[in-house]
Every structure is written in C-alpha cells, then in structure tokens.
C-alpha cells in the first residue's frame, strides 16, 4: 500500500443517472446522489433493494448500464486502474490477483 493511498484526502462522490439491471430485473434506475468530501453515509434498505449493487458499481467491480460516477471534480478515468474506493464484502472472500498484504 502506498503512502499516498493511506494519506489520501477525502473526495466528494457524485452519481448521476446511475442504472443497473440483471436480466430483466431493474435494480437501480436513474439514481442521483452527492456525498460531500469527508461525509459518512449509511445506505439502508431491505434485502435486494440495490445497496450492494451501488457499492459494487462505485468500486468498479461491476459496470453500470447507464449513468456516471465522479470522485472529486471529474468523472472517473476508467483507464488509469486506480479507484479511491475500498469495499468490505459481506461474505469472506480473497482476491486471487492480490498478495496476502493487499488482501488484508
């Protein structure tokens, strides 16, 4: 882990028109959201309402069907391979491409 990632400044998150479907089931539709830098946000709802889907889209673990996500001033550059998002899965999981230290 680089020193820059540990000491990174918080960034605002802006989501515009985000949509995601699985098969014929629409999970997120035209979602707009703005979270100011440094603010904590709790996302609550019943099982299957799209909480984990939203987090997976923010972390680029899945691709959105429509819409945009921006961290800071500009929409995320999907070519740089870096993301300011960290995600803890609900079930135990290791990332096979990551080292032991990176998995921790």
């Amino acid at each position: 882990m680089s020193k820059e990632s540990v000491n990174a400044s918080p960034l605002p998150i802006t989501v515009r028109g985000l949509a995601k479907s699985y098969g014929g089931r629409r999970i997120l539709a035209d979602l707009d959201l703005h979270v100011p830098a440094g603010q904590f946000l709790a996302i609550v709802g019943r099982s299957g309402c799209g909480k984990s889907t939203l987090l997976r889209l923010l972390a680029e673990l899945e691709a959105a069907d429509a819409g945009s996500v921006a961290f800071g001033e500009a929409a995320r550059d999907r070519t740089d391979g870096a993301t300011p998002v960290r995600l803890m899965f609900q079930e135990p999981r290791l990332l096979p491409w990551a080292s032991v230290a990176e998995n921790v």
Side-chain angles (χ1 to χ4, degrees):
M1 184 181 313
S2 70
K3 187 174 184 178
E4 292 79 24
S5 65
V6 172
N7 296 325
S9 302
L11 295 172
I13 303 169
T14 304
V15 173
R16 295 285 177 244
L18 201 61
K20 180 67 178 178
S21 296
Y22 296 104
R25 185 170 181 223
R26 179 164 259 174
I27 305 300
L28 297 175
D30 201 29
L31 176 68
D32 290 334
L33 173 69
H34 179 75
V35 183
Q39 180 175 337
F40 286 91
L41 173 70
I43 302 172
V44 296
R46 62 178 172 72
S47 179
C49 72
K51 303 178 300 288
S52 294
T53 298
L54 173 60
L55 293 175
R56 292 178 66 81
L57 292 170
L58 292 175
E60 290 188 324
L61 296 174
E62 294 190 24
D65 296 334
S68 65
V69 175
F71 292 93
E73 297 298 319
R76 179 185 303 158
D77 176 2
R78 293 188 169 281
T79 62
D80 70 0
T83 179
V85 176
R86 303 299 177 259
L87 176 67
M88 176 62 73
F89 293 99
Q90 294 174 344
E91 64 278 344
R93 182 174 298 183
L94 293 177
L95 305 174
W97 61 86
S99 68
V100 171
E102 290 168 330
N103 266 290
V104 172

